[in-house]
Amino acid sequence: MAIDLRRFHSTFFEESLEGIAAMEAELLEMERLLLRSNGRPVDFDPERLNHIFRAAHSIKGGSGTFGFNQIAEFSHGLESLLDEARSGRRTIDAEIASLLLRAVDCLRGLIDAARRDAPIPASTEALRAELERAQTTPSRSATRAEPARTAEGGWRVRFRPHDRFFHSGNDPLRILRALAELGGITVSADLSRVPDWSAFDAVQSYLGWEIALPKSVSRESIDEVFAWVIGDCDLDIEALATAEAAPLVSVPLDIPAKVDDKSASSIRVATAKVDGLVDIVGELVITETMLSQLVEGFVPERLSRLQAGIAQLERHTRDLQDAVLGIRMLPIGFVFGRLPRLARDIAATLGKRVELEISGERTELDKTIIERVSDPLIHLVRNSIDHGIEPSDERVKAGKPAHGTIRLTAYHKAGSVVIEAEDDGRGLNRERILKKARERGLVPPEVHLDSAQIDELIFLPGFSTAETVNDVSGRGVGLDVVRNNIRSLGGGVEVTSTAGKGTRFSIRLPLTLAIVDGMSLKVGPEVYILPLAWIAETLRLQPDRVSQPAGGPEIVAVRGDYLPLLRLDRLFNVRARATALNEGIVVIVEADGKRAGLFVDELLDQQQVVLKSLEPHCQRLEGISAATILGDGTVALILDAGSLVRQAHNPIFAMAASAAIVQSSGATPPALH
């Protein structure tokens, strides 16, 4: 029975792209070590080169098996150059590392073209020729190749594929043919595991082989044949002392099996199915809340049993919710992994030397947030390289290393995930920022701004201090896009900077966009939900603790600190029950490193709510991030704490932002006071 190999194509493409990503990561690390060496030779870990070589070898073998000849030919050229480096005949310097990275890009393009059945990239042939030229011109500093390992009596190889060997696109016949090309071989098959015909599965691997190879074959060439199936088979390679019946000497294979996260038991689930589960869990949460409210105040004979049942339902609901949401959680390394190459290419374009350090890449976030936070992080890294990191000569004059450093860090904090992008560059030029803002009419000449308020100006729509337009900056698409994208995820961004030392951007994000723990607030007839992660404290006030400077917002004194106060009834135009300050409650919220007080009628209770987006039904509302359905069927709005804090804390910035938006639309800007 013929096997249709096309059904294995998707697996081949996925595993090839994973291999390409691993190759790119190793090459970028090698470039980083070269950058730190300041031109001195670098002794790379041999296993690093072996890892890159095995990935290229696997792609070559798989593409040959499935008939993707152009991929196989190109990957063969890449593999050959890598083999020159492994053997010591070619030293990896900055030029060769750059060539290998371009080859990896081309290989990725070939894989993509094969998947889409599209023409191959036009640059393929030229790059393959460049790889061949690099092989024939060994570097002067190349080390002498290690002598090939041989065996006086030849080799004995025991090769037994695992049961699912065929499922990964492997072919034992191809391996046997490759061994035969090394020299005359003798093969005997092990049929001990072949089942009866009634139990035979055509896609199951049952056979094993014992292969004898002559002494003219080197151990390295045998290892190369089996390099891409390590981990998918049982393999034993023995060197024979003599050609006769001499004692066998066991020689362990010195290329270890690659172990990665796919070695664990896992499944791939379509996003649509997971989204359906999330919706079901959401409705279950709403039902549980509704039942809980119906029970309150009702005193039949079986009330206690009904309450116990609802409590059990609540526990099961929470367990199911955690399990389902856990399916959507991915490590942020999926995003971080794209950034080293981006940083390297941007730095090369600008003629700068930059090293990107990453930590916390195993920190997990909801898949939706992972996908949508990618662009903001790319923009921050680009901004740090372009505006933050100085040219090498300027850094040396300032007593800094010639290469700049950008650190990306992710960690959990107070029920949220914080991502920091910090550079060791020149810091924000506040004088220049303020000058640009005044030139554009965003800040009146008579208005004084402190350092924090000046830093906030970089988030104005279209604001840029770039003097010229290039491929990296100066096109008017600025950090306002970053902040808006982060706000749309229910998060916030803040910036801190020290002149001559560098700048740090801190992004705070919720763990998930599906369900949130919140506090329900009452303002007149309306109920609002405020996520617990943003609440610092709640308190009752006396009128003498509140003041209002002329023309400014109300200010509340809280233990020696003075915070702006927002009355939600005035903000959302609803009739509140509490008008005097001693009749209501003040909720202190914290976002973007700032705090503010929200004045409400009363606090109701804490509850878990399902977030429902408003965007399909209406435009985005300032101060509101989403909505939810309460247990009684009514709709409550979810407050956007970051937006509320910004409105309360920085009216100057709010007016400047408004003026910037008006200017970008071509209208006459409003007067600022």
Side-chain angles (χ1 to χ4, degrees):
M1 180 179 65
I3 300 177
D4 184 7
L5 295 180
R6 289 176 298 180
R7 58 176 165 166
F8 301 120
H9 283 183
S10 61
T11 300
F12 165 71
F13 292 140
E14 290 177 2
E15 293 185 351
S16 295
L17 291 174
E18 290 174 359
I20 287 173
M23 293 167 67
E24 185 177 69
E26 295 285 9
L27 288 170
L28 288 171
E29 176 61 18
M30 293 171 72
E31 268 204 340
R32 187 182 73 85
L33 296 174
L34 287 168
L35 176 67
R36 286 190 166 187
S37 71
N38 291 321
R40 295 188 301 273
V42 177
D43 292 328
F44 296 110
D45 182 359
E47 184 54 29
R48 191 178 300 281
L49 276 172
N50 287 336
H51 193 179
I52 301 172
F53 176 84
R54 287 196 297 270
H57 191 73
S58 296
I59 294 172
K60 184 189 79 170
S63 56
T65 299
F66 294 118
F68 300 121
N69 296 327
Q70 292 166 324
I71 299 176
E73 292 172 3
F74 185 85
S75 55
H76 176 71
L78 174 59
E79 176 193 55
S80 299
L81 179 56
L82 289 168
D83 193 42
E84 291 287 307
R86 286 201 314 161
S87 64
R89 293 187 293 272
R90 158 60 70 182
T91 296
I92 300 293
D93 53 20
E95 182 180 354
I96 292 298
S98 178
L99 173 61
L100 291 172
L101 278 170
R102 287 190 286 122
V104 166
D105 287 341
C106 185
L107 191 56
R108 183 184 284 115
L110 288 170
I111 296 290
D112 183 63
R115 182 163 53 181
R116 297 184 293 109
D117 196 21
I120 66 171
S123 60
T124 301
E125 288 303 317
L127 190 55
R128 185 167 64 177
E130 195 172 346
L131 289 171
E132 291 177 355
R133 287 195 299 271
Q135 296 172 42
T136 58
T137 55
S139 58
R140 296 179 182 176
S141 58
T143 58
R144 184 181 302 271
E146 292 291 333
R149 287 175 293 168
T150 59
E152 181 181 350
W155 303 91
R156 178 180 296 147
V157 178
R158 295 182 179 89
F159 168 48
R160 182 186 295 276
H162 292 165
D163 293 345
R164 296 179 61 84
F165 192 78
F166 297 123
H167 290 253
S168 58
N170 291 317
D171 182 5
L173 184 58
R174 183 193 63 79
I175 293 175
L176 294 175
R177 287 172 177 166
L179 291 173
E181 292 176 359
L182 299 177
I185 64 171
T186 303
V187 182
S188 62
D190 178 4
L191 309 179
S192 61
R193 294 195 306 163
V194 178
D196 294 336
W197 179 252
S198 59
F200 190 82
D201 184 351
V203 296
Q204 192 90 343
S205 176
Y206 300 109
L207 298 178
W209 292 271
E210 184 172 299
I211 306 121
L213 293 98
K215 63 180 182 180
S216 59
V217 177
S218 68
R219 171 60 187 268
E220 287 75 15
S221 59
I222 300 174
D223 289 346
E224 182 176 335
V225 171
F226 288 101
W228 74 302
V229 296
I230 296 297
D232 292 323
C233 65
D234 295 329
L235 182 65
D236 184 34
I237 302 176
E238 297 177 319
L240 303 181
T242 65
E244 287 74 32
L248 298 182
V249 180
S250 176
V251 180
L253 190 63
D254 64 351
I255 301 180
K258 178 185 176 183
V259 179
D260 56 24
D261 293 338
K262 296 192 74 178
S263 63
S265 177
S266 62
I267 59 173
R268 296 187 178 182
V269 183
T271 302
K273 293 182 178 180
V274 178
D275 289 340
L277 285 174
V278 171
D279 289 339
I280 293 172
V281 170
E283 298 303 323
L284 185 59
V285 172
I286 293 173
T287 302
E288 182 267 322
T289 303
M290 178 181 64
L291 290 175
S292 297
Q293 291 184 355
L294 287 175
V295 168
E296 293 179 4
F298 182 66
V299 194
E301 295 179 355
R302 298 182 178 179
L303 175 60
S304 59
R305 295 178 59 186
L306 180 59
Q307 290 175 325
I310 291 177
Q312 186 175 7
L313 172 64
E314 182 179 0
R315 290 194 299 272
H316 293 331
T317 300
R318 178 60 68 94
D319 292 341
L320 178 60
Q321 169 201 320
D322 292 342
V324 172
L325 293 181
I327 296 176
R328 295 187 58 91
M329 302 299 282
L330 294 175
I332 200 168
F334 279 92
V335 176
F336 281 3
R338 310 171 192 170
L339 299 178
R341 181 62 187 277
L342 172 79
R344 179 253 184 199
D345 291 345
I346 293 176
T349 300
L350 297 173
K352 297 182 179 181
R353 302 173 62 186
V354 178
E355 177 182 350
L356 183 66
E357 297 181 355
I358 291 177
S359 61
E361 59 269 25
R362 293 187 177 274
T363 305
E364 290 190 335
L365 275 171
D366 187 281
K367 180 178 183 293
T368 303
I369 299 178
I370 287 284
E371 293 169 348
R372 293 170 59 184
V373 79
S374 176
D375 287 345
L377 287 179
I378 288 173
H379 198 111
L380 289 181
V381 170
R382 181 186 294 116
N383 184 82
S384 294
I385 297 174
D386 187 21
H387 296 287
I389 301 296
E390 314 94 326
S392 296
D393 55 350
E394 183 180 332
R395 292 181 60 86
V396 172
K397 289 179 181 178
K400 296 181 178 181
H403 67 276
T405 302
I406 300 175
R407 296 178 180 85
L408 275 178
T409 308
Y411 56 90
H412 291 279
K413 181 179 180 181
S416 301
V417 169
V418 177
I419 305 172
E420 294 182 347
E422 183 177 10
D423 65 66
D424 65 347
R426 58 172 64 97
L428 296 180
N429 188 331
R430 296 188 174 98
E431 181 179 349
R432 186 178 180 189
I433 292 171
L434 184 58
K435 179 182 177 182
K436 284 284 185 179
R438 294 196 192 279
E439 288 176 355
R440 296 182 54 188
L442 303 177
V443 178
E446 68 277 6
V447 174
H448 172 75
L449 301 181
D450 60 25
S451 297
Q453 291 173 325
I454 294 175
D455 293 348
E456 286 288 310
L457 294 174
I458 66 176
F459 293 105
L460 291 176
F463 185 85
S464 176
T465 58
E467 298 293 345
T468 59
V469 175
N470 55 38
D471 292 337
V472 179
S473 67
R475 300 187 181 276
V477 179
L479 293 171
D480 64 305
V481 177
V482 173
R483 172 163 279 182
N484 289 338
N485 287 345
I486 296 300
R487 288 177 181 175
S488 70
L489 296 173
V493 186
E494 59 180 291
V495 59
T496 56
S497 181
T498 303
K501 300 295 185 181
T503 303
R504 180 175 66 243
F505 291 92
S506 296
I507 299 174
R508 182 173 178 175
L509 293 166
L511 291 174
T512 178
L513 298 180
I515 296 177
V516 67
D517 290 318
M519 174 70 73
S520 54
L521 317 173
K522 189 82 169 180
V523 182
E526 302 295 334
V527 175
Y528 300 94
I529 305 295
L530 181 61
L532 289 179
W534 305 106
I535 299 177
E537 61 179 307
T538 61
L539 48 89
R540 288 190 179 272
L541 288 180
Q542 296 300 321
D544 59 359
R545 297 176 63 183
V546 177
S547 60
Q548 186 171 13
E554 290 182 291
I555 302 296
V556 56
V558 180
R559 291 187 295 277
D561 194 10
Y562 295 92
L563 310 177
L565 183 68
L566 273 184
R567 294 177 181 255
L568 293 188
D569 58 330
R570 299 175 183 175
L571 185 64
F572 297 130
N573 195 26
V574 297
R575 186 181 295 276
R577 175 185 58 79
T579 55
L581 290 173
N582 58 350
E583 295 176 349
I585 296 288
V586 174
V587 182
I588 307 297
V589 294
E590 184 172 0
D592 294 341
K594 302 177 179 66
R595 299 201 304 166
L598 306 181
F599 184 69
V600 300
D601 288 350
E602 59 179 314
L603 306 181
L604 298 180
D605 57 4
Q606 295 183 21
Q607 57 181 298
Q608 202 170 65
V609 296
V610 181
L611 302 183
K612 302 289 186 181
S613 175
L614 293 171
E615 292 182 3
H617 311 289
C618 62
Q619 66 181 8
R620 181 171 175 81
L621 304 175
E622 194 67 26
I624 302 296
S625 62
T628 190
I629 302 175
L630 300 177
D632 59 2
T634 60
V635 175
L637 298 177
I638 310 294
L639 297 178
D640 182 349
S643 174
L644 295 175
V645 169
R646 284 186 293 273
Q647 290 184 62
H649 218 283
N650 205 342
I652 293 293
F653 177 72
M655 289 189 292
S658 174
I661 294 172
V662 171
Q663 283 190 7
S664 65
S665 66
T668 302
L672 299 178
H673 301 286

